[in-house]
């Protein structure tokens, strides 16, 4: 008998929870999705926002830039997120998707800069690379003397340039699913490929073939996919002084006791160099706000104000302490103005 | 009996078991058995080693996170600082800004004039919410407002790690001469009557000489290659080496220190001076802790202190080390159990982050999963095993259940997103949806286990019940099910443990998220333990590494408790029969 009782009460409980879910109440909590690169910064702002009594602490999901955009553009209404984090600017396709689903008014806020760094153990030799050398080290195919594409012949760094260390090429980096990997291709590999006149000509003649050259990374063991978790790369670099790793500047800054950055074209990945735009491996970080939700979900405007405030975003702000490189002052002022004014993004600015 | 043995005996073949060949065969057989046992033993010990290494690694990383260093200071609580509109009540105490109070309390420990950068670093020693314990005290007892309260201040994660041993070895030696400092703060010069700094200067020059040697070696290596860019680089290296060599060759000339060398400091007249330039008889440097006077220090009363780890190789600056060491000397530092870790929700500050939110989220999610799965799974198993007519349809269902048990878990996440969120419009990130999704994931496991358990009950039990006139249903529910219950429980535990470790299906329904507030119901935003571990492991702050391991320990504990409860329940059911 007791078994029957248990079964009946369990069934009732299940039904009860279903019924409870049906009566969803209006949302009073900001929902944020998007890039795992921006996640550490947005969460810091969210926590600060919650503590300073602005309202309930926003929920910040880490879904990746692409996944975030998809959720963000799915529509207007409380089932859809209010803000998405992005480690790159919105793409034309995504913008059109948004428009189609009724998400008409999007506010783009550039919150700061992330330096994509190549780092090594402190015990390794000081290295200075050019983007062309990075391309030579990691591309699947490189042009030979006559400009013909051949499978990458370089085994050691010193094969590329004798002034580089005489060790095997071993670079740990993110897998293709990561937004960091996309940025690495665009910032290092594409620019490195363009340094070859013959590839530059190829770009003009056949841009698809050119894209294939810089988008393919060698698979013979010189490039090791170390997974999405940057801390894994950090640990491996600490153990192997001849290996190099690719990750965001905040990880280099946090692990500065054991790791050092590799200079790119003579510029070390340091805070000031990245902020001033001198370091070549830097990318802007964004958040996108759904203007139609402002005023419907309480606190969005206050959250944005907190994000762009001096306390958060400036050089001495708490985001800088978390590893975000602040925008130069003038640009930051401009961003602040358009963010507070909720200036929407127009189609001709998206590409 | 005799017949049988007789019929076996018929084709008797005499085997001489004492022959050497037979003996050898027997020995070979025993050897084979021994070898097999040995394989088993090796496999078992290998597994044991892995478990020990794994658990040991997690424990050694995670256990320190359960303890926390904090400062114990006397903080004068001014009524004006915690009142709003002239009134002091709970709301005003909660809303007050404690930053000025903590700052004043910290500065009171270090009398004298601090530079602006030193003041900044002093405040950074403590957490951004350092006064949390003070606030709790004042809320509990508002009468304390206006008095001086002895309270804990939470240290920042970096200071905490420093006391936990990620700092620097410190050595000091007493000096022979009489030292005269030129001031008490700012940049000062210390003159000594003896050649006190000579030894250190020699060491310094040696270091520079080694650097020059390394540069020359590199230049020699490059010289073997041809090319314009290389020639230029070789020249640059040689120039650099020559410059360094020049410094080495002039033994008496003063030297500059940089942050790639061990830091040298002078402890004198109650203060601490960091040396920037050094010669035999004098040292110029910056005051880190203000001196009490500029009196001459007698031999033996002043010391040369060395922080062995170069400043660029550690997370705390010389200034911070100076502050932290002084606080320790003054007995302001206390080590205590880190309750915050168990009672707080998530935070981006490692010292304030806790797992309560994830723990409650896990409990809520698993409760939904259990409530959904156990009845449905057991009912389905009973129906399929005992009541359903065997036919093509039941075969099809059985094959599908077996297949579902092997479907990758992310697929269930997609299903959850499409059905529960998009179609039914349930809230995102809620334990309700997470529980249902995980329920779908473990349902096949439970059905399969429950069917196996029902099958294992001897048919004689059911037949006996039917024989005394029980209906089919009575026979099953009164007799077979109680006997099968231990097996069903085991299957359920396996299923729940599976659900406890899943993160992939939760990604799609929004539970991989930063959630500060501890959830209070099934529809509040929540996250679960494995997700919390995953999220923490990916954060840049070093202190989160040990938090991650600590969260793994809590997850394992949760698992032990769950399994323990199940075993206890199983025992009870067994006794009832």
């Amino acid at each position: 008998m007791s078994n029957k009782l248990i079964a009946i009460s369990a069934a009732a409980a299940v039904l009860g929870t279903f019924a409870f879910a049906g009566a969803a109440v209006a949302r009073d909590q900001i929902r944020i999705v998007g890039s795992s690169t921006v996640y550490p910064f947005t969460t810091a702002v969210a926590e600060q926002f919650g503590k300073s009594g602005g309202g309930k602490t926003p929920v910040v999901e880490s879904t990746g830039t692409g996944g975030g955009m998809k959720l963000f553009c799915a529509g207007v209404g409380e089932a859809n997120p209010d803000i998405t984090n992005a480690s790159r600017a919105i793409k034309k396709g995504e913008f059109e998707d948004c428009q189609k689903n009724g998400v008409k008014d999007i506010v783009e806020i550039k919150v700061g800069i992330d330096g994509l760094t190549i780092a090594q153990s402190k015990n390794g030799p000081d290295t200075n690379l050019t983007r062309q050398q990075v391309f030579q080290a990691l591309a699947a195919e490189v042009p030979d003397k006559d400009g013909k594409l051949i499978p990458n012949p370089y085994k050691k760094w010193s094969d590329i340039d004798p002034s580089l260390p005489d060790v095997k090429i071993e670079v740990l980096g993110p897998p293709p699913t990561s937004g960091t990997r996309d940025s690495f291709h665009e910032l290092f590999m594409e620019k490195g490929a363009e340094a070859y006149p013959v590839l530059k000509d190829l770009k003009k003649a056949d841009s698809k073939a050119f894209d294939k050259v810089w988008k393919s990374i060698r698979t013979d063991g010189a490039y090791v996919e170390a997974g999405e978790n940057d801390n894994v790369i950090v640990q491996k670099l600490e153990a192997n002084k001849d290996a190099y790793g690719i990750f965001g500047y905040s990880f280099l800054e946090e692990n500065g006791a054991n790791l050092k950055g590799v200079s790119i074209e003579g510029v070390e990945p340091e805070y000031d160099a990245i902020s001033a735009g001198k370091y070549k491996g830097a990318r802007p970080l964004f958040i996108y706000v759904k203007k139609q939700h402002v005023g419907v979900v309480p606190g969005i405007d206050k959250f944005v104000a907190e994000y762009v405030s001096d306390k958060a975003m400036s050089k001495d702000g708490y985001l800088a302490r978390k590893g975000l490189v602040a925008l130069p002052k003038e640009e930051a002022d401009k961003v602040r103005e358009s963010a507070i004014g909720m200036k929407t993004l127009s189609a001709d600015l998206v590409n | 009996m005799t017949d049988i043995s007789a019929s076996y005996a018929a084709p008797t073949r005499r085997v001489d078991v004492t022959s050497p060949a037979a003996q050898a065969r027997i020995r070979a057989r025993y050897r084979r058995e021994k070898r097999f046992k040995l394989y088993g033993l090796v496999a078992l010990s290998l597994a044991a080693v892995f478990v020990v290494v794994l658990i040991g690694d997690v424990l050694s990383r995670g256990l320190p996170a359960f303890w926390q260093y904090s400062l114990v200071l006397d903080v004068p609580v001014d009524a004006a600082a915690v009142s709003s509109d002239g009134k002091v009540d709970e709301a005003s105490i909660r809303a007050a800004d404690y930053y000025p109070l903590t700052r004043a309390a910290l500065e009171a420990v270090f009398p004298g004039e601090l530079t602006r950068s030193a003041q900044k670093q002093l405040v950074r020693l403590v957490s951004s919410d350092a006064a949390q314990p003070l606030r709790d005290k004042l809320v509990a007892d508002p009468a304390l407002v206006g008095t001086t309260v002895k309270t804990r201040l939470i240290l920042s994660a970096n200071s905490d790690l420093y006391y936990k041993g990620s700092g620097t070895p410190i050595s000091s030696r007493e000096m022979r001469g009489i030292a005269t400092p030129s001031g008490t703060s700012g940049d000062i010069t210390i003159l000594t009557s003896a050649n006190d700094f000579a030894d250190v200067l020699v060491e310094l020059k040696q270091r520079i000489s080694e650097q020059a040697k390394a540069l020359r070696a590199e230049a020699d290596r490059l010289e073997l290659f041809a090319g314009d860019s290389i020639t230029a680089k070789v020249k640059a290296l040689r120039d650099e080496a020559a410059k360094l060599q020049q410094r080495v060759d002039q033994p008496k000339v003063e030297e500059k220190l940089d942050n790639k060398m061990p830091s040298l400091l002078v402890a004198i007249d109650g203060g601490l001076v960091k040396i920037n330039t050094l010669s035999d008889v004098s040292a110029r440097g910056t005051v880190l802790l203000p001196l009490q006077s500029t009196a001459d220090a007698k031999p033996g009363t002043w010391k040369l202190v060395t922080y062995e780890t170069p400043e660029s190789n550690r997370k705390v600056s010389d200034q911070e080390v100076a502050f932290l060491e002084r606080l320790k000397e003054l007995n302001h530092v206390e080590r205590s159990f880190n309750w915050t870790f168990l009672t707080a929700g998530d935070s981006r500050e490692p010292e304030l982050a806790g797992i309560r939110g994830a723990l409650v989220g896990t409990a809520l999610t698993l409760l939904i999963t259990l409530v959904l799965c156990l009845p449905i799974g057991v009912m389905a198993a009973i129906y399929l095993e005992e009541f359903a007519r065997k036919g093509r349809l039941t075969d099809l269902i059985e094959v599908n259940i077996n297949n579902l048990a092997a479907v990758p878990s992310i697929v269930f996440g997609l299903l959850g997103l499409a059905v529960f969120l998009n179609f039914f419009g349930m809230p995102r990130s809620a334990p309700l949806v997470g529980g249902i999704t995980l329920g779908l994931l473990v349902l096949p496991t439970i059905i399969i286990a429950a069917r196996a358990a029902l099958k294992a009950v001897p048919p004689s039990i059911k037949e006996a019940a039917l024989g005394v006139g029980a209906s089919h249903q009575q026979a099953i529910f009164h007799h077979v099910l109680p006997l099968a219950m231990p097996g069903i429980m085991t299957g359920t535990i396996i299923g729940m443990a599976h659900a406890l470790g899943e993160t992939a299906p939760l990604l799609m329904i929004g539970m991989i998220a930063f959630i500060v507030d501890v959830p209070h119901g099934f529809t509040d935003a929540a996250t679960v333990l494995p997700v919390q571990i995953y999220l923490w492991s990916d954060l840049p702050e070093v202190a989160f590494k040990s938090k991650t391991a600590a969260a793994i320990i809590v997850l394992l504990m949760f698992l032990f408790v769950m399994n323990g409860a199940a075993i206890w329940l199983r025992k009870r059911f067994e006794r009832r029969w």
Side-chain angles (χ1 to χ4, degrees):
Chain A
M1 278 316 261
S2 65
N3 280 326
K4 216 182 243 170
L5 262 178
I6 290 171
I8 288 168
S9 57
V14 171
L15 284 177
T17 47
F18 270 107
F20 186 33
V25 272
R27 184 150 61 82
D28 60 348
Q29 194 171 27
I30 303 174
R31 311 285 314 217
I32 304 170
V33 293
S35 162
S36 52
T37 313
V38 191
Y39 171 88
F41 310 122
T42 302
T43 45
V45 178
E47 189 176 353
Q48 207 60 39
F49 171 79
K51 270 190 191 153
S52 57
K56 265 194 177 176
T57 307
V59 171
V60 188
E61 285 180 41
S62 163
T63 62
T65 304
M69 282 291 174
K70 219 171 179 179
L71 289 165
F72 181 76
C73 289
V76 176
E78 66 177 60
N80 299 299
D82 312 310
I83 297 173
T84 184
N85 299 322
S87 59
R88 54 164 170 76
I90 189 169
K91 286 182 183 165
K92 193 143 209 138
E94 291 164 342
F95 185 77
E96 282 160 5
D97 227 29
C98 263
Q99 300 290 325
K100 210 171 65 202
N101 292 329
V103 185
K104 301 260 185 241
D105 302 330
I106 306 169
V107 183
E108 179 183 78
I109 303 169
K110 191 176 181 184
V111 293
I113 309 168
D114 181 34
L116 193 58
T117 54
I118 302 181
Q120 64 181 134
S121 157
K122 267 239 156 100
N123 303 323
D126 280 335
T127 321
N128 175 21
L129 294 172
T130 64
R131 281 172 291 175
Q132 185 178 11
Q133 285 166 342
V134 174
F135 174 78
Q136 283 173 308
L138 297 178
E141 289 185 320
V142 293
D144 65 2
K145 267 181 256 146
D146 312 324
K148 228 175 82 211
L149 285 171
I150 51 164
N152 197 330
Y154 304 112
K155 297 275 176 251
K156 289 175 166 182
W157 287 102
S158 51
D159 295 345
I160 297 172
D161 188 317
S163 70
L164 292 175
D166 186 20
V167 294
K168 211 179 81 188
I169 297 174
E170 190 181 356
V171 179
L172 304 152
T177 47
S178 160
T180 311
R181 173 79 169 260
D182 290 343
S183 303
F184 174 70
H185 279 291
E186 277 158 27
L187 292 169
F188 287 87
M189 301 296 279
E190 186 179 11
K191 294 287 162 8
E194 279 172 2
Y196 281 103
V198 12
L199 289 178
K200 210 159 186 186
D201 293 343
L202 180 70
K203 185 183 178 183
K204 277 183 208 141
D206 183 355
S207 68
K208 280 227 174 93
F210 175 71
D211 284 353
K212 195 172 159 258
V213 172
W214 63 265
K215 279 184 179 164
S216 340
I217 277 202
R218 65 198 292 188
T219 50
D220 55 359
Y223 183 84
V224 185
E225 280 173 11
E228 288 271 10
N229 192 326
D230 291 339
N231 273 324
V232 175
I233 303 182
V234 168
Q235 278 168 17
K236 285 186 177 163
L237 290 189
E238 282 167 11
N240 181 355
K241 75 177 173 58
D242 291 334
Y244 294 82
I246 300 166
F247 41 72
Y249 172 72
S250 47
F251 285 86
L252 178 62
E253 195 189 34
E254 191 61 30
N255 293 286
N258 301 314
L259 302 181
K260 63 182 174 188
V262 170
S263 314
I264 300 298
E265 271 134 45
V267 183
E268 266 189 63
E270 276 170 344
Y271 189 90
D272 293 329
I274 297 171
S275 179
K278 279 190 209 131
Y279 179 73
K280 296 298 178 199
R283 57 175 168 172
L285 301 177
F286 300 92
I287 62 169
Y288 290 89
V289 182
K290 212 176 273 180
K291 197 180 173 183
Q292 285 137 304
H293 281 194
V294 177
V296 179
V297 177
I300 296 182
D301 43 351
K302 273 194 215 154
F303 177 79
V304 169
E306 169 78 38
Y307 216 132
V308 297
S309 68
D310 248 353
K311 194 172 78 166
M313 215 171 69
S314 73
K315 212 178 147 200
D316 306 312
Y318 57 81
L319 291 180
R321 248 175 287 153
K322 295 258 168 242
L324 182 72
V325 178
L327 296 169
K329 189 151 178 6
E330 271 173 38
E331 205 183 346
D333 288 342
K334 249 185 237 162
V335 165
R336 187 167 306 128
E337 202 183 288
S338 77
I340 302 280
M342 289 280 163
K343 223 171 106 196
T344 54
L345 194 62
S346 59
D348 50 308
L349 287 176
V350 183
N351 47 40
Chain B
M1 251 339 217
T2 45
D3 286 351
I4 293 168
S5 53
S7 66
Y8 270 113
T12 308
R13 188 161 61 89
R14 294 189 67 86
V15 177
D16 183 7
V17 288
T18 55
S19 75
Q23 291 283 340
R25 275 203 302 277
I26 289 169
R27 274 199 302 277
R29 236 157 49 205
Y30 277 118
R31 270 206 304 277
R32 215 172 296 149
E33 190 174 330
K34 234 181 217 160
R35 224 163 32 229
F36 183 73
K37 273 189 189 160
L38 197 72
Y39 291 152
L41 206 66
V42 168
L44 212 61
S45 33
L46 209 62
V49 166
F50 284 139
V51 169
V52 167
V53 167
L54 187 78
I55 303 259
D57 186 52
V58 168
L59 286 182
S60 70
R61 280 162 195 261
L63 283 181
F66 285 100
W67 273 268
Q68 188 182 34
Y69 284 90
S70 42
L71 294 180
V72 180
L73 291 181
D74 290 322
V75 183
V77 182
D78 189 12
V82 292
S83 63
S84 66
D85 304 333
K87 269 193 308 184
V88 177
D89 53 15
E90 197 187 319
S92 78
I93 288 173
R94 282 196 190 282
D97 180 11
Y98 288 88
Y99 177 76
L101 292 182
T102 42
R103 186 176 167 159
L106 277 168
E107 278 173 4
V109 181
F110 299 99
E113 196 187 327
L114 293 174
T115 60
R116 236 187 87 69
S117 113
Q119 284 174 353
K120 244 185 180 168
Q121 294 188 53
L122 180 60
V123 179
R124 294 246 175 101
L125 291 182
V126 295
S127 166
S128 61
D129 200 10
Q132 202 185 334
L134 174 64
R135 190 172 53 221
D136 293 348
K137 256 188 194 172
L138 292 182
V139 168
D141 183 8
L144 289 172
V145 173
T147 63
T148 295
V149 184
K150 195 179 176 80
T151 180
R152 277 189 328 119
L153 292 177
I154 300 173
L155 280 169
S156 74
N158 280 342
S159 316
D160 185 50
L161 283 179
Y162 177 83
Y163 287 128
K164 280 174 180 164
S166 78
T168 165
I170 297 174
S171 63
S172 66
R173 61 178 107 152
E174 287 188 357
M175 289 301 178
R176 302 178 305 261
I178 297 171
T180 322
S182 69
T184 59
S185 64
D187 286 336
I188 63 166
T189 308
I190 297 166
L191 293 169
T192 161
S193 60
N195 279 359
D196 272 321
F197 301 122
D199 296 351
V200 192
L201 195 59
V202 169
E203 278 169 29
L204 206 61
K205 300 252 180 199
Q206 258 167 13
R207 203 183 285 270
I208 296 168
S209 147
E210 271 160 30
Q211 274 174 17
K213 213 191 262 171
L215 287 178
R216 278 198 295 273
E218 177 68 10
D220 290 344
R221 184 180 78 80
L222 285 182
E223 227 164 29
L224 302 175
F225 304 100
D228 289 343
S229 68
I230 303 237
T231 323
K233 191 160 180 194
V234 169
K235 191 171 170 326
L237 285 171
R238 294 233 181 271
D239 287 351
E240 181 78 31
K243 240 184 245 165
L244 291 177
Q245 192 58 47
Q246 206 179 356
R247 280 161 67 182
V248 178
D249 294 340
Q250 298 170 309
K252 292 289 166 194
V253 171
E254 62 176 21
E255 275 301 335
K256 274 200 174 63
L257 284 94
D258 64 27
N259 65 359
K260 297 203 170 63
M261 305 172 186
S263 306
L264 296 174
L265 307 101
V266 176
I268 182 170
D269 288 339
L272 195 66
V273 185
K274 179 186 174 178
I275 300 176
N276 297 328
T277 45
L278 188 71
S279 73
D280 279 359
V281 292
S282 78
R284 255 179 299 150
T286 319
V287 173
L288 297 184
L289 301 176
L291 281 57
Q292 276 153 14
S293 67
T294 54
D296 291 352
K298 292 201 182 66
T301 63
W302 64 292
K303 280 187 273 186
L304 184 78
V305 180
T306 314
Y307 297 165
E308 305 284 354
T309 314
E311 194 176 14
S312 70
N313 283 11
R314 52 183 140 89
K315 291 198 63 66
V316 280
S317 67
D318 287 338
Q319 177 75 65
E320 285 166 321
V321 175
F323 281 142
L324 290 168
E325 284 299 321
R326 175 61 63 88
L327 283 167
K328 202 163 133 193
E329 277 166 34
L330 296 174
N331 278 329
H332 284 309
V333 182
E334 183 192 86
R335 182 168 177 265
S336 56
F337 188 77
N338 188 357
W339 285 109
T340 314
F341 185 68
L342 295 180
T343 56
D346 196 5
S347 169
R348 277 293 284 124
E349 311 298 329
E351 69 274 9
L352 302 176
I355 49 153
R356 170 108 174 270
L359 211 58
V360 173
T362 304
L364 292 174
T365 306
L366 285 186
L367 190 69
I368 293 275
T369 307
L370 187 71
V371 162
L372 190 73
C373 278
L374 193 59
I376 296 184
V378 173
M379 297 292 172
I382 290 174
Y383 182 76
L384 283 175
E385 194 57 39
E386 302 287 350
F387 293 99
R389 212 177 304 140
K390 304 278 181 258
R392 200 167 283 170
L393 191 66
T394 39
D395 279 352
L396 192 72
I397 291 173
E398 189 172 341
V399 167
N400 274 315
I401 289 173
N402 289 340
N403 280 342
L404 273 182
V407 165
S409 55
I410 185 87
V411 176
F412 288 97
L414 287 166
L415 184 80
L417 175 70
V419 176
F420 304 123
L421 293 189
N422 293 348
F423 188 72
F424 285 116
M426 292 184 182
R428 262 183 94 76
S429 320
L432 173 66
V433 183
I436 298 175
T437 308
L438 291 178
L440 294 181
L441 178 76
V442 298
L443 200 52
T445 316
I446 293 186
I447 294 179
I448 291 169
R451 287 189 68 177
L454 287 170
K455 222 179 255 172
V457 176
S460 56
I461 304 275
K462 194 168 85 183
E463 280 156 15
L466 292 175
V468 295
S471 75
H472 196 174
Q473 189 190 351
Q474 281 173 328
I476 302 291
F477 279 90
H478 294 179
H479 302 282
V480 178
L481 191 59
L483 283 179
M485 222 47 198
I488 295 175
M489 284 289 189
T490 314
T492 311
I493 298 158
I494 293 170
M496 297 309 277
H498 184 180
L500 181 63
E502 277 296 341
T503 56
L506 302 178
L507 175 71
M508 291 289 153
I509 54 171
M511 287 185 88
I512 304 213
F514 174 75
I515 291 155
V516 173
D517 306 321
V518 176
H520 292 292
F522 292 107
T523 51
D524 284 354
T527 189
V528 293
L529 278 170
V531 169
Q532 191 67 78
I533 292 166
Y534 163 76
L535 286 174
W536 278 352
S537 77
D538 204 16
L539 288 174
E541 283 86 358
V542 175
F544 270 116
K545 276 185 198 162
S546 69
K547 295 272 163 188
T548 308
I552 292 175
I553 295 175
V554 172
L555 179 70
L556 288 178
M557 287 308 206
F558 198 94
L559 203 68
F560 286 151
V561 169
M562 216 169 83
N563 281 353
I567 289 170
W568 180 74
L569 275 175
R570 205 161 70 190
K571 284 258 162 68
R572 266 189 67 105
F573 269 108
E574 272 172 341
R575 230 178 285 142
R576 233 177 66 176
W577 172 59

